[in-house]
Amino acid sequence: MTSFASQLDLRDLIRTIPDYPKPGILFRDITTLIADPAGFRAAVDGLVWPFLTAGVDLVAGIEARGFILGGAVAHELGRGFVPIRKKGKLPAKTIGQDYSLEYGVDTIEIHADAIKPGDRVLVVDDLIATGGTADAAIELVRRSGGEVVAAAFIVDLPDLGGSARLKEKGVSVRTLLAYEGH
Ligand code: AMP
């Protein structure tokens, strides 16, 4: 299957929920995509194939949908998986990174010993919007001494600027499809 064909298929399998979680947001729901066997496989394959020979040591997934995708990507690459979680969820010693939300600040964390200096890390989540979450995840990897090979997402909302923001930080960004006008 070509990547162009798989992009068309994936878009058909993503459900859009208007006004969730609040008025004006078009929520791009990938649960319908990952429930579809061919869709899930195509999505994971699309995230994996650019990195088959990229020298990835670890895959880091962002809670919660990044766990589903990142776990599958790590398995296909034959590499380990590292969870990046909301504050207070990881049991051992952590390092944390704050990031801005529309209202206020949130924090994500990684185990302090999850990444060894020099590890080459692929960051995975389902969707990039403003890029705040992924930016914080990238900071955690870098502060751990890791090198970010790329950040990979199924969905890009380019009008919200996240993929451009990561590229400005020198991070390679892989997305499988985009919704213009979000
Ligand atoms: P951001 O930090 O603004 O790039 O937001 C990315 C995170 O929020 C990802 O973990 C997404 O799952 C979630 N998210 C943001 N906007 C949407 C949307 N319109 N539809 C689905 N998920 C979203």
Side-chain angles (χ1 to χ4, degrees):
M1 186 187 291
T2 66
S3 61
F4 183 62
S6 67
Q7 282 177 25
L8 295 180
D9 295 341
L10 297 184
R11 190 183 301 269
D12 290 343
L13 291 168
I14 293 171
R15 173 168 61 184
T16 298
I17 315 284
D19 299 320
Y20 181 87
K22 53 187 179 184
I25 303 286
L26 288 176
F27 192 86
R28 307 300 183 175
D29 175 20
I30 62 138
T31 65
T32 42
L33 167 65
I34 62 176
D36 182 277
F40 189 32
R41 182 175 291 278
V44 172
D45 286 351
L47 297 175
V48 163
W49 71 257
F51 306 108
L52 285 172
T53 59
V56 172
D57 295 310
L58 285 171
V59 177
I62 304 172
E63 186 174 3
R65 288 176 294 264
F67 289 0
I68 300 162
L69 298 165
V73 167
H75 179 72
E76 274 204 35
L77 288 175
R79 295 293 181 262
F81 176 80
V82 171
I84 293 177
R85 300 207 63 180
K86 306 277 163 56
K87 187 180 175 67
K89 300 283 191 182
L90 288 168
K93 185 170 180 237
T94 59
I95 58 174
Q97 183 75 37
D98 293 343
Y99 62 102
S100 300
L101 302 171
E102 193 177 348
Y103 302 104
V105 174
D106 214 341
T107 306
I108 52 173
E109 295 179 332
I110 193 169
H111 273 143
D113 60 357
I115 293 171
K116 295 188 301 299
D119 277 345
R120 290 171 53 79
V121 181
L122 176 64
V123 174
V124 175
D125 202 357
D126 66 326
L127 176 147
I128 182 160
T130 66
T133 314
D135 194 336
I138 287 160
E139 287 304 313
L140 286 177
V141 172
R142 288 180 171 172
R143 285 171 52 205
S144 302
E147 182 187 336
V148 178
V149 175
F153 312 84
I154 296 175
V155 178
D156 187 14
L157 304 182
D159 296 347
L160 294 178
S163 43
R165 171 176 171 176
L166 296 196
K167 286 172 194 161
E168 278 165 25
K169 285 174 73 91
V171 174
S172 171
V173 179
R174 162 81 176 157
T175 59
L176 304 187
L177 62 102
Y179 292 96
E180 311 286 338
H182 64 92

